[in-house]
Amino acid sequence: ILWIAVRYRERQPLALFCFAWIVASLAPALNIAGVGQNVFTERYLYLPSVGFAIACGLAAAAAPVRTAAPVAAVALLALLVKTVTRNLDWRDDFTLLQITERQSPDSGYIHNLMAGAWVQRDQVQRALEEQRLAVHYEPRSSVYRKNLGNILLVFDPAAAVREFQIAIALGPDTQELRDDLALAQRATA
């Protein structure tokens, strides 16, 4: 798009605007540290796609009709197929979480969410595996440690005590964590 914008800036100043629009609207999302867990999220492309769509329209208007029509038809078909397949991913929260986990296998955040989904499905062993992965990828998260401790209460109260102690050390030290620790300590007695 930059090449088109610079090459045709006198004849088509809107092309340069489209490039500037895409860059300016993507700039906040390029601050990788600022977006946190959601680095690869489709919503960051909504606003830049306006500039891209206008640029595509300009290219189609400049192309001969016998070239533009087949290219537009192929592009439309490709977008239709992608939309239909992506919509299948959104049929329910659990499916979306599973797909997101495959796309981001090193995300403690996603593993923590999957653990919660498995707990809701009464699959506590699978929830334990997921929560251990969450802690593995983000060992300094007191929330993930607390969640692991709660799941461990079912299997190994002594291990739950250790997780709650680590969660308290990582902070913030809350009454809820202290209550969870006391519950785990009573379960070991």
Side-chain angles (χ1 to χ4, degrees):
I1 292 175
L2 176 61
W3 177 80
I4 293 170
V6 171
R7 184 153 191 258
Y8 295 103
R9 69 182 174 271
E10 284 87 32
R11 283 191 321 193
Q12 198 56 266
L14 191 53
L16 191 55
F17 169 78
C18 291
F19 175 74
W21 179 271
I22 292 168
V23 170
S25 57
L26 267 179
L30 295 177
N31 174 13
I32 299 300
V35 296
Q37 291 286 336
N38 299 308
V39 175
F40 300 104
T41 304
E42 294 160 343
R43 69 174 174 264
Y44 297 129
L45 298 178
Y46 296 161
L47 199 54
S49 69
V50 172
F52 182 73
I54 294 170
C56 288
L58 291 172
V65 174
R66 60 191 160 146
T67 305
V71 170
V74 169
L76 186 62
L77 182 62
L79 291 171
L80 176 68
V81 168
K82 184 62 180 170
T83 299
V84 169
T85 57
R86 185 65 174 145
N87 281 341
L88 293 174
D89 298 346
W90 288 82
R91 68 178 159 263
D92 60 52
D93 290 344
F94 188 71
T95 302
L96 182 60
L97 272 175
Q98 288 179 312
I99 290 166
T100 305
E101 185 179 45
R102 283 195 301 268
Q103 294 169 343
S104 303
D106 299 340
S107 171
Y109 177 71
I110 298 300
H111 286 291
N112 181 60
L113 292 175
M114 275 303 296
W118 284 119
V119 166
Q120 289 177 344
R121 292 172 177 261
D122 292 325
Q123 298 285 324
V124 184
Q125 183 62 43
R126 293 194 75 176
L128 178 61
E129 294 165 13
E130 290 291 342
Q131 199 62 48
R132 281 187 170 145
L133 286 171
V135 167
H136 170 76
Y137 290 118
E138 295 190 34
R140 305 224 19 96
S141 170
S142 66
V143 172
Y144 299 169
R145 294 278 184 175
K146 174 187 172 293
N147 292 346
L148 179 57
N150 284 326
I151 296 170
L152 282 170
L153 276 171
V154 175
F155 299 101
D156 186 357
V161 167
R162 286 190 300 277
E163 290 302 325
F164 290 131
Q165 288 171 337
I166 294 170
I168 289 169
L170 291 172
D173 186 0
T174 64
Q175 185 60 44
E176 181 183 2
L177 272 174
R178 296 230 173 251
D179 292 344
D180 290 339
L181 176 59
L183 179 67
Q185 287 171 333
R186 279 195 299 271
T188 60

